[in-house]
Every structure is written in structure tokens, then in C-alpha cells.
Amino acid sequence: MNKYNPPRMNPSSLRSRFATRFLRSLSKINAKKPTASSSSPTEIFRRYRRIKVAADKSMAYSVRSRRTWSRAMLWKLRTRPCCRRSVKTSTIVRKTRHEKQNKNTTTTTGEDGVVFGVEADELRELVPGGEAMDLYNLLDETAHYIKCLTTQVQVMKKIADFYSP
Amino acid sequence: MDKGEKDKYELENRNENSINYQAPVMSSDWQFGGANLTTAGMSLVPSGNPLAIGSSCASASVADSFGSNLWEHPSNSQNLGFCGINVQNGASSSNAMGIGKSTLTSLRSGVDRPFDMGWNAASSMLKGGFFLPNTTGILPQSLSQFPADSAFIERAARFSSFNGGTFSDMVIPFGMPESMGLYTGGMGLMRGPEDMFAANGMKSVSGVESQKIKLNVTEATRDACLQVENRAKKSPGNDRRNGSLLRANEEAKQGIGGSGNESDEAEFSGHDGGQDEPSSLDGAGGEPSAKGLSLKKRKRSLQDAEIDQAKGGQPSTEAAKDGAENQQKGDQKQTTSVNKTTGKQLSPASHPPKEEYIHVRARRGQATNSHSLAERVRREKISERMKFLQDIVPGCSKVTGKAVMLDEIINYVQSLQRQVEFLSMKLATVNPRLDFNIEGLLAKDIIQSRAGPSSTLGFSPDLSVGYPSLHPSQPGLFQAALPVTGSNTGVIHRSLSSQFTSLTGGLKESNQLSNPWEDELHNVVQMNYGTSAPSDDLNGLNHLEIHK
């Protein structure tokens, strides 16, 4: 019989790190699910939340603290309130964001000659930890964030395809 | 330095010996030729010296006989019809050898040509002539020994650091003819400074200078080593530029020969100018070199700017500007006044090289306020980032304008985040049939295995081009860019089938297993296609999936 050895990728690459962590967390999540209530939508929703958090967390841990967005994401995940407290913090978050929008428009235009205005703010919202960065670092973080997101999507897609019926 | 000169001579002797040793056949022919010479010489020459030649030929080792022949032949040259040949100067002796060879060719045939080439090479080394481009056949063997000697490199660099470009060419141990030509050009120029110093009577100053040059040597070695790969790629193109740089350096050198300090900086800036040019747009290579160079440039005076511009005013200074856009520490220096005076020397089309935080020069006709300079640098950095993002985000190549680009980027990030959410929802609904651990390992293998050739889709080259400059340490991601979503099924199919065959040990079940997998994978493809429709930006991907 012929042995097929797939060429191994770099074991310390972002993708492999994320994959191992995510699979571990996935197995943990699936281990504690009772089979009876697995099909109820609430249970599925809860699992979805947990899986999403697990995905974000494993991605942020794979990047460690090298990137601002990963640090911000880790901090966000650590101080993530449980469902009960989420209402309060979300309002606070919304208010500060509103304040920041007024502020950021002035700072972005003043930094460089090109007016970026609203788009930069939107980008800051999207990228975790982007509120406190100037435009250049923001673009830098965005590039890395995009790369990590594509890794995440790819790995999760493969896992989903693997387990789909 | 006398020591340097002595070492030079030693090395030249070594070179001669190496040539000798590498051409034992030739020398043996020489011996035969010598034997012929005796017979022929006896007819030509009345004296009994050819007998000495013949005996010396026949005796001793190759090198010794060769050397003795070398020294004895000129003494007999008069017998052979030559006159007024100095024995002391090796150059002239080799010249005599060259001339003598021409007569000997009449006596011998065929073998002399490599000999002549070898001696011509030696003479070029000694005299600094440029015979070499004709004779690259032999030399790469001998010259390849040199780059291995780092001490020699330093000494050579000491004298050839005037030629910024050629030094790194010397470091490359390739036998490339162009680089060898430049190498000897550099070595030839090593002679130049020595002669110049001797002529100017600056032996004492040269000692001081050489100490200062030592500082540059280490820099040059490091920077040259950093740029070795760049040189290897671009050395054919460097020929003309470095050749012109050599000549410019020589002229500039002679103009500056008076003050040691200036020439010290001249070397370095010439070195810098020479190095900045070829590192055109290679980001990875350009970054460390520019960083190393700019770190040393911190204390340079304004004279440096003039000299740098005088030498580095070659067309491709945009390369220096690109290399300058790096994160570096240092003080911001304003040389705008200098720029204005020396701007006349430059051609209007060339932009002076700009460096970050150390040397920001105002371009012609632009504001020279320090704030505006800093702003311009920032703007350029931002535009560079935008270009990079344009490469990463698919479908942005035709979009121009920063606002639209930012919108595209925002849409793309949003779509990616939505994709993650959707996939996590999907994973939540999936009921794993088998235990997670084993299958998790399997999946890890699948995930870690390289995607098959099907992953090369339309815009994956763009993505792979964009990645290397950002994350060179993660090459596995290059071909695992976005379009892989379309190729996952094919990959999984192949890897799964292979994995299952290996798992089941080639049982017959494997065949039966693979068949249902194929059907399921087809279903999966359709399902993926149907379920990933909602995202706008995925439409392009879906089209690609169709084509697959």
C-alpha cells in the first residue's frame, strides 16, 4: 500500500496554532452538551455564541499580544460580561462610541492632508482596539486583522465541511 | 597602509600560485615549451642561459619553476631581443611575460592562450587594468577563494569602499562574469587610492583614514551581506550603474582627497548611494539595509548631503526613497538649505533620496517647513499601506481613491466577520458523528496539509504577492488565501480519501467509503454555494466556485 504523506506545513504558523486551539475548544464545547437538548434553537444559539467566542479567543491567543487588535480582543473577551450584565455595558459602550465619533473626525482630518473622516471611524469600529490608533497604525492593524480573519474563516470552513453530513 | 600593501602582494602571489596550481597542465606544457625553447633558443640565443631555463623548468615544483622562469626570463629577454625590462616591478615583469609569450607562441601553440590569459589576469590584478572581462574563464576559480577570506574582504573593502556597489559584488562567491569584472574593477581601484595617497604624500593621513574606513568596513560588510541576495538578482543590471559610479567616485575622490573626514563620509555616502539604488523595490531586502545605513548616518554633517547628492544623483533614487520609508529611530534633520544649493547640480527629474527621521529633504518646489515634511512622510507611509491593503483585499485593484478603498476594506472586513459568525453557527448545528479527538487530529492534518494545486485561482497571486512583505514567517498562508474557499472541497476530497486509505489500511471498505464521500462532497459544494450567497462580497468567490 502506498503511504501518502501530505507535506507538513510550518507547525508554528498562525493557521496551525489557531486550528489546534480552536479544535480543542470545540471538543470542550461539544463534550458538555447533552444530546437531548442539542436540537433546540436556544441551545443551538448558546452553542453558537460559545463557539464564536471560542473562535475569537483562539485566534487572539494565537497572535498573542503582538498586535494591538489581539490585545484589545483579549481584553474584551476577558472582561466580557455574562448575559445579565451585558445590557448595562452595551449602553455605556454605545455612548462612548458616539462621543468618539465626534472626536475622531477632527483628529483624522488633522493628521494628514487627506480627509478620511467617516470611513476611518467605521474601520476603527470594526477592528478591535482601533479606537486609539492613528491612521497609519490602524491600516497596519487592519491588514493583519484581515489576514487572521481569512485564516479563521478558512479553518472553520474546513472543519465545518469535514463534519457536515 | 603598508601592511595592507604587503598583504596585497602576498595575495597576488597567492593568486599567481593558485593560477599556477590550477593549471598544472599548462605549466607542464611550459616545461615542454621550455624544452623547446632550449632547442629553439639555442638557435636564437647564443648564450647558455636557456639551458638554465630548461634545467629550471625540468627541476623543482611547478610554482617554483614558474617563478624562477618568471624572473629569469627577463634576464634572457635581452637575448631574445627584448630590452629595458624591469625585473623589480611585477607588473612590468608580467608585461614582459606577456610580450615574451607572444614570441613563444610562435614556438608553441595552443597552450599559450590560457597562459596569456592567466598572466594577463595577474597583470590586471597588479596594474589595475581591466583585462579581466576577457578572461573570466580562469579567474572565477581563483577569485572564488577570496570571498571566503573575511580579513581579505575587510582589507579589500577598505580600499574599495569607495565603490559602494562593487563591494557587495565581491562578497558574492558566484562565478558570474559581470560580478567578477566588477570585482577586479574594484580591486583595480584598490590600487587607485594607494597610488593617490602615495602621490599626495598622505601616508600619515592614510593611516588615520584607514582607521576611519574601518568603521565603514564593518558597516559595508553587514550591509553588503544584507544585500547579497539583491545583488545576485540585479548584478547584471548593476554593471552600468556601478561602472558609472566607479568613475564618479574616482573623480569625486580626487576632488576631495584633501580632507580625511570628508572622504570618510564620501565613502560612506557613496556606499550608501551605491547601495540604495539597486535595492529598488524589494521591501524585505531594502528595509534592513536602509535601516543599517540610516542608523550610521546619524552624525553626518551637511557635507554628506552634498557628496551624497553628487554621487547618488543617479536616476533611480526613488528606490532610496522607498527604502527610506521604514521605522527608524533618530533625529529629523533639515537639509533643505543644502538641497537648494545643490539642487542645481541634480537633474530636475531626479528626486533626492529621502530618509525617515534622519534626513528628510524637501523636494524641488515644495514647502520646507518641518511640519509639512513630517506630514509628507506620513502621507507616503499611509499611501504605501493603502497600496498593500489594495493587494490584500480582492477586487480592489481597479479602485482608485482612498475613500473608496477604505469603503471596500470596511466591506471586506465586515464580510469576513459575518463569515466567521455564520461558520460558527454552522459548527454549532453540526453533530459530530465520531469522537472529536481523533477526528480533530485528522482535521488538523487536513488543515495543516498544503492545499492542492486547485488553490491557484484568479486573484490568489495577488494575495500571495501581498503577503510576503507583511508576514514572511508564515508562508503557509500564501496559497491559503481567500480563494481557497472555493477549492476546499477538492482539497478535502483528495486528502480525505488519502487519509482514509491510510487509516483503514487498504481495506476494501476504503473504496466504498470514498465513494459516498464523493457524493457528500458534491452535496457540500452545492450547500456551500447556496448558503454563502447572502454575503455581497462572496459573490465573486461563488463565481469562482462555479468555475471550479
Short mmCIF file of all heavy atoms in Angstrom, two decimals, chain A residues 22-66:
data_model
loop_
_atom_site.label_atom_id
_atom_site.label_comp_id
_atom_site.label_asym_id
_atom_site.label_seq_id
_atom_site.Cartn_x
_atom_site.Cartn_y
_atom_site.Cartn_z
N PHE A 22 -8.55 25.98 18.40
CA PHE A 22 -9.98 26.01 18.12
C PHE A 22 -10.57 24.61 18.23
O PHE A 22 -11.68 24.43 18.75
CB PHE A 22 -10.21 26.59 16.73
CG PHE A 22 -11.66 26.78 16.41
CD1 PHE A 22 -12.48 27.50 17.25
CD2 PHE A 22 -12.19 26.21 15.27
CE1 PHE A 22 -13.80 27.67 16.95
CE2 PHE A 22 -13.52 26.39 14.97
CZ PHE A 22 -14.33 27.12 15.81
N LEU A 23 -9.83 23.65 17.76
CA LEU A 23 -10.34 22.28 17.85
C LEU A 23 -10.46 21.83 19.29
O LEU A 23 -11.42 21.13 19.66
CB LEU A 23 -9.43 21.34 17.07
CG LEU A 23 -9.64 21.41 15.56
CD1 LEU A 23 -8.55 20.65 14.86
CD2 LEU A 23 -10.99 20.89 15.19
N ARG A 24 -9.49 22.23 20.06
CA ARG A 24 -9.56 21.87 21.47
C ARG A 24 -10.80 22.48 22.13
O ARG A 24 -11.55 21.81 22.86
CB ARG A 24 -8.31 22.36 22.19
CG ARG A 24 -7.46 21.23 22.71
CD ARG A 24 -6.30 21.74 23.49
NE ARG A 24 -5.22 22.19 22.62
CZ ARG A 24 -4.34 23.11 22.96
NH1 ARG A 24 -4.44 23.73 24.11
NH2 ARG A 24 -3.38 23.44 22.13
N SER A 25 -11.00 23.75 21.87
CA SER A 25 -12.15 24.40 22.49
C SER A 25 -13.45 23.82 21.94
O SER A 25 -14.44 23.67 22.68
CB SER A 25 -12.10 25.90 22.27
OG SER A 25 -11.93 26.18 20.91
N LEU A 26 -13.44 23.48 20.68
CA LEU A 26 -14.64 22.89 20.10
C LEU A 26 -14.97 21.57 20.77
O LEU A 26 -16.14 21.28 21.08
CB LEU A 26 -14.43 22.65 18.59
CG LEU A 26 -15.03 23.66 17.63
CD1 LEU A 26 -14.89 23.16 16.23
CD2 LEU A 26 -16.48 23.93 17.94
N SER A 27 -13.96 20.77 20.98
CA SER A 27 -14.22 19.49 21.63
C SER A 27 -14.72 19.70 23.04
O SER A 27 -15.59 18.97 23.52
CB SER A 27 -12.95 18.65 21.62
OG SER A 27 -11.91 19.35 22.27
N LYS A 28 -14.19 20.72 23.69
CA LYS A 28 -14.69 21.00 25.05
C LYS A 28 -16.15 21.41 25.02
O LYS A 28 -16.95 20.98 25.85
CB LYS A 28 -13.86 22.14 25.65
CG LYS A 28 -12.75 21.66 26.54
CD LYS A 28 -12.13 22.83 27.27
CE LYS A 28 -10.75 23.05 26.69
NZ LYS A 28 -10.08 24.23 27.25
N ILE A 29 -16.46 22.24 24.06
CA ILE A 29 -17.85 22.70 23.99
C ILE A 29 -18.78 21.56 23.66
O ILE A 29 -19.86 21.41 24.24
CB ILE A 29 -17.97 23.82 22.93
CG1 ILE A 29 -17.27 25.08 23.42
CG2 ILE A 29 -19.43 24.10 22.63
CD1 ILE A 29 -17.22 26.17 22.39
N ASN A 30 -18.34 20.74 22.74
CA ASN A 30 -19.23 19.65 22.35
C ASN A 30 -19.27 18.55 23.39
O ASN A 30 -20.19 17.74 23.39
CB ASN A 30 -18.78 19.08 21.02
CG ASN A 30 -19.26 19.94 19.86
OD1 ASN A 30 -20.38 20.42 19.89
ND2 ASN A 30 -18.40 20.14 18.89
N ALA A 31 -18.27 18.52 24.23
CA ALA A 31 -18.25 17.44 25.21
C ALA A 31 -19.33 17.64 26.26
O ALA A 31 -19.90 16.67 26.76
CB ALA A 31 -16.88 17.36 25.87
N LYS A 32 -19.57 18.89 26.59
CA LYS A 32 -20.52 19.10 27.68
C LYS A 32 -21.94 19.31 27.19
O LYS A 32 -22.79 19.74 27.93
CB LYS A 32 -20.08 20.29 28.53
CG LYS A 32 -19.82 21.55 27.75
CD LYS A 32 -19.37 22.67 28.70
CE LYS A 32 -18.72 23.78 27.92
NZ LYS A 32 -18.30 24.89 28.74
N LYS A 33 -22.19 19.07 25.95
CA LYS A 33 -23.57 19.26 25.50
C LYS A 33 -24.34 17.97 25.74
O LYS A 33 -23.89 16.89 25.37
CB LYS A 33 -23.59 19.66 24.03
CG LYS A 33 -23.37 18.51 23.11
CD LYS A 33 -23.89 18.81 21.72
CE LYS A 33 -23.32 17.79 20.75
NZ LYS A 33 -23.93 16.46 20.95
N PRO A 34 -25.47 18.11 26.29
CA PRO A 34 -26.32 16.92 26.42
C PRO A 34 -27.02 16.66 25.09
O PRO A 34 -27.49 17.58 24.43
CB PRO A 34 -27.32 17.32 27.51
CG PRO A 34 -27.35 18.81 27.48
CD PRO A 34 -26.03 19.29 26.95
N THR A 35 -27.05 15.44 24.71
CA THR A 35 -27.59 15.12 23.39
C THR A 35 -29.08 15.40 23.28
O THR A 35 -29.61 15.56 22.19
CB THR A 35 -27.34 13.64 23.06
OG1 THR A 35 -27.86 12.85 24.13
CG2 THR A 35 -25.85 13.39 22.92
N ALA A 36 -29.71 15.46 24.37
CA ALA A 36 -31.17 15.60 24.30
C ALA A 36 -31.55 16.98 23.79
O ALA A 36 -32.39 17.13 22.90
CB ALA A 36 -31.76 15.36 25.68
N SER A 37 -30.94 17.97 24.35
CA SER A 37 -31.40 19.32 24.02
C SER A 37 -30.58 19.95 22.91
O SER A 37 -30.55 21.15 22.74
CB SER A 37 -31.33 20.19 25.26
OG SER A 37 -29.98 20.25 25.70
N SER A 38 -29.89 19.12 22.18
CA SER A 38 -28.99 19.71 21.20
C SER A 38 -29.75 20.35 20.05
O SER A 38 -29.23 21.23 19.38
CB SER A 38 -28.05 18.64 20.65
OG SER A 38 -28.82 17.65 19.99
N SER A 39 -30.92 19.92 19.80
CA SER A 39 -31.61 20.43 18.62
C SER A 39 -32.48 21.64 18.92
O SER A 39 -33.00 22.26 18.01
CB SER A 39 -32.48 19.33 18.01
OG SER A 39 -33.32 18.79 19.02
N SER A 40 -32.63 21.99 20.18
CA SER A 40 -33.47 23.15 20.46
C SER A 40 -32.73 24.40 20.02
O SER A 40 -31.53 24.51 20.17
CB SER A 40 -33.78 23.22 21.95
OG SER A 40 -32.59 23.49 22.66
N PRO A 41 -33.47 25.34 19.52
CA PRO A 41 -32.82 26.53 18.97
C PRO A 41 -32.05 27.32 20.02
O PRO A 41 -31.00 27.89 19.72
CB PRO A 41 -33.97 27.36 18.38
CG PRO A 41 -35.23 26.68 18.77
CD PRO A 41 -34.92 25.34 19.30
N THR A 42 -32.58 27.38 21.23
CA THR A 42 -31.85 28.14 22.24
C THR A 42 -30.51 27.50 22.54
O THR A 42 -29.49 28.18 22.70
CB THR A 42 -32.68 28.24 23.52
OG1 THR A 42 -33.13 26.93 23.87
CG2 THR A 42 -33.83 29.19 23.34
N GLU A 43 -30.59 26.18 22.60
CA GLU A 43 -29.34 25.50 22.89
C GLU A 43 -28.34 25.71 21.76
O GLU A 43 -27.15 25.92 21.97
CB GLU A 43 -29.61 24.01 23.10
CG GLU A 43 -28.39 23.24 23.54
CD GLU A 43 -27.84 23.74 24.85
OE1 GLU A 43 -28.66 24.11 25.73
OE2 GLU A 43 -26.61 23.80 25.01
N ILE A 44 -28.90 25.61 20.57
CA ILE A 44 -28.02 25.84 19.41
C ILE A 44 -27.48 27.25 19.43
O ILE A 44 -26.31 27.50 19.15
CB ILE A 44 -28.79 25.58 18.10
CG1 ILE A 44 -29.05 24.09 17.96
CG2 ILE A 44 -28.02 26.10 16.92
CD1 ILE A 44 -29.81 23.75 16.70
N PHE A 45 -28.31 28.18 19.78
CA PHE A 45 -27.85 29.57 19.83
C PHE A 45 -26.77 29.74 20.88
O PHE A 45 -25.77 30.44 20.67
CB PHE A 45 -29.03 30.49 20.11
CG PHE A 45 -28.65 31.93 20.11
CD1 PHE A 45 -28.36 32.58 18.93
CD2 PHE A 45 -28.54 32.63 21.31
CE1 PHE A 45 -28.00 33.92 18.93
CE2 PHE A 45 -28.18 33.97 21.31
CZ PHE A 45 -27.91 34.61 20.12
N ARG A 46 -26.98 29.08 22.00
CA ARG A 46 -25.96 29.22 23.05
C ARG A 46 -24.64 28.62 22.59
O ARG A 46 -23.56 29.17 22.82
CB ARG A 46 -26.43 28.53 24.32
CG ARG A 46 -27.23 29.47 25.17
CD ARG A 46 -27.30 29.03 26.61
NE ARG A 46 -28.62 29.38 27.11
CZ ARG A 46 -29.49 28.52 27.59
NH1 ARG A 46 -29.18 27.24 27.69
NH2 ARG A 46 -30.68 28.92 27.98
N ARG A 47 -24.81 27.50 21.94
CA ARG A 47 -23.58 26.87 21.45
C ARG A 47 -22.91 27.74 20.41
O ARG A 47 -21.69 27.85 20.36
CB ARG A 47 -23.90 25.51 20.84
CG ARG A 47 -24.14 24.43 21.81
CD ARG A 47 -23.31 23.20 21.55
NE ARG A 47 -23.17 22.84 20.17
CZ ARG A 47 -23.93 21.95 19.55
NH1 ARG A 47 -24.93 21.38 20.17
NH2 ARG A 47 -23.69 21.65 18.29
N TYR A 48 -23.73 28.36 19.61
CA TYR A 48 -23.18 29.25 18.59
C TYR A 48 -22.40 30.39 19.24
O TYR A 48 -21.30 30.74 18.81
CB TYR A 48 -24.32 29.76 17.71
CG TYR A 48 -24.08 31.12 17.11
CD1 TYR A 48 -23.12 31.30 16.13
CD2 TYR A 48 -24.82 32.22 17.54
CE1 TYR A 48 -22.91 32.55 15.58
CE2 TYR A 48 -24.60 33.46 16.99
CZ TYR A 48 -23.65 33.62 16.01
OH TYR A 48 -23.44 34.84 15.48
N ARG A 49 -22.97 30.96 20.27
CA ARG A 49 -22.25 32.05 20.94
C ARG A 49 -20.93 31.55 21.50
O ARG A 49 -19.90 32.21 21.39
CB ARG A 49 -23.11 32.61 22.08
CG ARG A 49 -24.40 33.24 21.65
CD ARG A 49 -24.20 34.48 20.84
NE ARG A 49 -23.33 35.45 21.45
CZ ARG A 49 -23.05 36.63 20.92
NH1 ARG A 49 -23.61 36.96 19.77
NH2 ARG A 49 -22.26 37.46 21.51
N ARG A 50 -21.04 30.37 22.11
CA ARG A 50 -19.82 29.87 22.73
C ARG A 50 -18.77 29.57 21.67
O ARG A 50 -17.57 29.82 21.87
CB ARG A 50 -20.12 28.61 23.53
CG ARG A 50 -20.46 28.93 24.95
CD ARG A 50 -20.52 27.67 25.77
NE ARG A 50 -21.78 27.61 26.48
CZ ARG A 50 -22.61 26.58 26.45
NH1 ARG A 50 -22.32 25.51 25.76
NH2 ARG A 50 -23.74 26.63 27.12
N ILE A 51 -19.20 29.02 20.58
CA ILE A 51 -18.24 28.69 19.53
C ILE A 51 -17.65 29.96 18.95
O ILE A 51 -16.45 30.03 18.65
CB ILE A 51 -18.92 27.84 18.44
CG1 ILE A 51 -19.21 26.47 18.98
CG2 ILE A 51 -18.04 27.76 17.22
CD1 ILE A 51 -19.92 25.58 18.01
N LYS A 52 -18.47 30.95 18.78
CA LYS A 52 -17.94 32.19 18.22
C LYS A 52 -16.92 32.81 19.16
O LYS A 52 -15.84 33.25 18.74
CB LYS A 52 -19.10 33.17 18.00
CG LYS A 52 -18.66 34.49 17.41
CD LYS A 52 -19.85 35.24 16.86
CE LYS A 52 -19.43 36.53 16.22
NZ LYS A 52 -18.97 37.53 17.17
N VAL A 53 -17.24 32.79 20.42
CA VAL A 53 -16.28 33.32 21.39
C VAL A 53 -15.01 32.49 21.38
O VAL A 53 -13.89 33.02 21.45
CB VAL A 53 -16.93 33.36 22.78
CG1 VAL A 53 -15.86 33.50 23.85
CG2 VAL A 53 -17.91 34.51 22.87
N ALA A 54 -15.21 31.18 21.28
CA ALA A 54 -14.04 30.31 21.26
C ALA A 54 -13.17 30.60 20.04
O ALA A 54 -11.94 30.60 20.12
CB ALA A 54 -14.47 28.84 21.26
N ALA A 55 -13.82 30.85 18.92
CA ALA A 55 -13.06 31.14 17.71
C ALA A 55 -12.27 32.44 17.88
O ALA A 55 -11.07 32.49 17.59
CB ALA A 55 -13.99 31.23 16.51
N ASP A 56 -12.93 33.46 18.35
CA ASP A 56 -12.23 34.72 18.53
C ASP A 56 -11.12 34.59 19.54
O ASP A 56 -10.01 35.12 19.37
CB ASP A 56 -13.23 35.79 18.99
CG ASP A 56 -14.16 36.20 17.88
OD1 ASP A 56 -13.79 35.98 16.71
OD2 ASP A 56 -15.25 36.73 18.18
N LYS A 57 -11.41 33.86 20.60
CA LYS A 57 -10.41 33.74 21.64
C LYS A 57 -9.20 32.96 21.15
O LYS A 57 -8.06 33.34 21.41
CB LYS A 57 -11.03 33.02 22.84
CG LYS A 57 -10.55 33.53 24.16
CD LYS A 57 -11.26 32.84 25.29
CE LYS A 57 -11.28 33.72 26.53
NZ LYS A 57 -12.05 33.07 27.61
N SER A 58 -9.47 31.88 20.45
CA SER A 58 -8.32 31.10 19.99
C SER A 58 -7.51 31.88 18.95
O SER A 58 -6.28 31.78 18.92
CB SER A 58 -8.77 29.76 19.41
OG SER A 58 -9.87 29.93 18.56
N MET A 59 -8.18 32.67 18.16
CA MET A 59 -7.43 33.49 17.21
C MET A 59 -6.60 34.53 17.94
O MET A 59 -5.42 34.74 17.63
CB MET A 59 -8.41 34.17 16.23
CG MET A 59 -7.74 35.10 15.27
SD MET A 59 -6.37 34.39 14.39
CE MET A 59 -7.21 33.32 13.25
N ALA A 60 -7.19 35.18 18.92
CA ALA A 60 -6.44 36.19 19.65
C ALA A 60 -5.27 35.56 20.40
O ALA A 60 -4.19 36.14 20.49
CB ALA A 60 -7.37 36.92 20.60
N TYR A 61 -5.49 34.37 20.93
CA TYR A 61 -4.39 33.73 21.64
C TYR A 61 -3.31 33.26 20.68
O TYR A 61 -2.13 33.18 21.05
CB TYR A 61 -4.91 32.53 22.45
CG TYR A 61 -5.28 32.91 23.85
CD1 TYR A 61 -6.59 32.86 24.29
CD2 TYR A 61 -4.30 33.35 24.73
CE1 TYR A 61 -6.93 33.21 25.58
CE2 TYR A 61 -4.63 33.72 26.02
CZ TYR A 61 -5.94 33.64 26.44
OH TYR A 61 -6.27 34.00 27.72
N SER A 62 -3.68 32.94 19.49
CA SER A 62 -2.66 32.53 18.54
C SER A 62 -1.75 33.69 18.19
O SER A 62 -0.57 33.50 17.89
CB SER A 62 -3.32 31.99 17.27
OG SER A 62 -4.15 30.91 17.58
N VAL A 63 -2.31 34.86 18.20
CA VAL A 63 -1.49 36.02 17.86
C VAL A 63 -0.79 36.57 19.09
O VAL A 63 0.06 37.44 18.99
CB VAL A 63 -2.39 37.10 17.19
CG1 VAL A 63 -1.59 38.29 16.76
CG2 VAL A 63 -3.09 36.50 16.00
N ARG A 64 -1.20 36.08 20.24
CA ARG A 64 -0.60 36.58 21.47
C ARG A 64 -0.83 38.07 21.62
O ARG A 64 -1.88 38.58 21.33
CB ARG A 64 0.90 36.25 21.51
CG ARG A 64 1.19 34.80 21.65
CD ARG A 64 0.91 34.34 23.08
NE ARG A 64 0.63 32.92 23.11
CZ ARG A 64 0.36 32.26 24.22
NH1 ARG A 64 0.33 32.89 25.37
NH2 ARG A 64 0.11 30.97 24.19
N SER A 65 0.18 38.74 22.08
CA SER A 65 0.00 40.18 22.29
C SER A 65 0.78 41.01 21.29
O SER A 65 1.05 42.17 21.53
CB SER A 65 0.46 40.55 23.70
OG SER A 65 -0.32 39.91 24.66
N ARG A 66 1.11 40.35 20.21
CA ARG A 66 1.96 41.09 19.29
C ARG A 66 1.22 42.20 18.58
O ARG A 66 1.82 43.14 18.09
CB ARG A 66 2.54 40.14 18.25
CG ARG A 66 3.76 39.42 18.78
CD ARG A 66 4.23 38.47 17.76
NE ARG A 66 3.14 37.57 17.42
CZ ARG A 66 3.28 36.51 16.66
NH1 ARG A 66 4.44 36.20 16.19
NH2 ARG A 66 2.24 35.74 16.37
#
